[in-house]
């Protein structure tokens, strides 16, 4: 993958988000880390440290409202490959 196609940190679509916080629960870079990717915002999650994102896409897998998008995935919110899906289900 070229640098301009690199997967970047997720963006939250506040209009679609239902405030379930499952993205925070799924993200391995939220708990027990000094610079978490997500934080609880005013009703919706906020991406507060995008550089902490490791690109595992666990948040996308967990988001039932499909309120997260990630640049570098192309068209469609959930368009990652099978290997990445398996990684999202892995136990960290």
């Amino acid at each position: 993958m070229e640098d301009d196609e690199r997967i970047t940190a997720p963006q939250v679509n506040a209009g679609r988000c239902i405030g379930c916080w499952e993205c925070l629960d799924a993200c391995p870079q939220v708990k027990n880390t000094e610079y978490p990717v997500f934080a609880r915002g005013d009703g919706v999650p906020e991406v507060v440290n995008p550089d902490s994102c490791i690109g595992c896409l666990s948040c996308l897998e967990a988001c039932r409202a499909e309120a997260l998008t990630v640049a570098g995935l192309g068209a469609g919110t959930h368009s990652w490959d099978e290997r990445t899906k398996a990684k999202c289900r892995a136990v960290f």
Side-chain angles (χ1 to χ4, degrees):
M1 190 178 294
E2 295 182 22
D3 286 340
D4 60 341
E5 295 176 3
R6 188 173 89 71
I7 293 173
T8 61
Q11 299 296 313
V12 179
N13 179 334
R16 288 191 65 109
C17 182
I18 60 173
C20 68
W21 310 108
E22 290 181 6
C23 53
L24 277 79
D25 293 336
C27 180
Q29 294 298 97
V30 170
K31 295 181 176 104
N32 302 321
T33 183
E34 188 174 354
Y35 301 104
V37 175
F38 292 103
R40 287 184 180 260
D42 188 26
V44 297
E46 292 182 20
V47 178
V48 291
N49 292 298
D51 291 337
S52 294
C53 180
I54 60 174
C56 71
L57 305 178
S58 294
C59 57
L60 280 165
E61 180 73 20
C63 184
R64 58 184 148 166
E66 295 185 6
L68 297 175
T69 56
V70 175
L73 289 180
T77 305
H78 295 272
S79 61
W80 55 83
D81 63 18
E82 289 300 316
R83 191 178 67 161
T84 306
K85 278 193 209 177
K87 182 179 175 186
C88 288
R89 288 188 220 108
V91 176
F92 290 95

